[in-house]
Amino acid sequence: MGVYAVTGAASGMGRAVAEKLETEGHRVIGVDIQETDIVADLSTAAGRRQAIDAVLEAADGRLDGAVLAAGLGPVRDRSRLPVIAAVNYLGVVDLLEGWRPALAATGAARVVAFGSNSSTTVPVVQNRTVRAFLAGDTERAVRSVRMFGAQAAPFVYAASKIAVSRWVRRHAVRPEWAGTGIRLNVIAPGAILTPLLERQLATPGEAKAVEAFPVPTGSFGKPEHIADWVSMMLSPSAEFLCGSIVFVDGGTDAYVRPNDWPRAVPLRGVVGYLRKFLGFAATRRV
């Protein structure tokens, strides 16, 4: 049985994942802002450093896997935007960078970062916001959405999830990740009955919008559904799963954007495409 770090382990999908892994006999090191093994505020640099160091100590420098489920929803409170940005992006990438040596030490680690189907269903997310996240500048990311005023939260949230997904796809294939046996992937849940969604459904001003959200399967998902998928993505069956984004959203992404992807490489991208093929072949010859 393995040792897994799970952020956001105190509630919602993170808690469901932690409980699933423990039921399977694994040891879980939970990280959250309250009520778990390691209490840390992932919105601050000090809190992220604390989480990194405490997990490494608890795991004795070896992790069989990690699940980055901690995140904050698009609460419409402008004062919360910096916190949403920091937790949702830096709370994933900083911890993964800090834990990478421990993951590599096992030779066959599995990592699942939580994205969201908001990455493909929220319209007009600004590229500059995503670029700011990928540069690690969450303050600039927040400034970039000022034009949206009181409606800025969904754009910060969606951009953070796009950035996490791109970060994973960029890093998953690199020698220091894939080459050391680490399989790094993203799960993108849709409308899941977490405490956040339940509060929204109980708020008349928000319930109507939530209930109008298209879910072709006809009902919201449950945290246990996501936990089952994460368990598979952490298993030996995921040996060939690398840099993938798995949507578990009741068909929302397919309903909203059925023709947007997959897409063939466009003509303007052929040179870069061939360069990557030749570059990969050259590394195999070395």
Side-chain angles (χ1 to χ4, degrees), residues 100-123:
R100 191 193 61 76
L103 293 162
T106 64
R110 307 283 185 264
V111 175
V112 179
F114 269 58
S116 168
N117 74 346
S118 294
S119 60
T120 60
T121 60
V122 174

Side-chain angles (χ1 to χ4, degrees), residues 227-245:
D228 288 344
W229 273 96
V230 170
S231 175
M232 186 279 291
M233 295 168 73
L234 296 174
S235 75
S237 297
E239 166 63 25
F240 208 51
L241 193 69
C242 180
S244 294
I245 303 172

Side-chain angles (χ1 to χ4, degrees), residues 155-208:
F155 298 100
V156 167
Y157 177 82
S160 72
K161 296 300 187 178
I162 292 171
V164 162
S165 298
R166 290 187 186 174
W167 187 94
V168 165
R169 284 180 61 77
R170 291 178 181 183
H171 287 75
V173 297
R174 294 182 179 178
E176 64 268 29
W177 292 91
T180 60
I182 303 170
R183 297 296 178 261
L184 178 56
N185 296 286
V186 173
I187 190 165
I192 307 296
L193 276 172
T194 61
L196 172 62
L197 184 59
E198 290 171 347
R199 285 195 298 271
Q200 291 175 315
L201 288 169
T203 305
E206 299 183 27
K208 187 175 181 180

Side-chain angles (χ1 to χ4, degrees), residues 1-6 21 25-29 55-56 58-67 96 99-112 180-184 230-231 233-236 238:
M1 295 293 100
V3 178
Y4 295 88
V6 178
L21 293 175
H26 300 295
R27 179 188 170 204
V28 173
I29 305 170
V55 166
L56 292 177
D60 197 24
R62 293 175 61 89
L63 282 170
D64 294 282
V67 180
L96 284 179
W99 291 341
R100 191 193 61 76
L103 293 162
T106 64
R110 307 283 185 264
V111 175
V112 179
T180 60
I182 303 170
R183 297 296 178 261
L184 178 56
V230 170
S231 175
M233 295 168 73
L234 296 174
S235 75

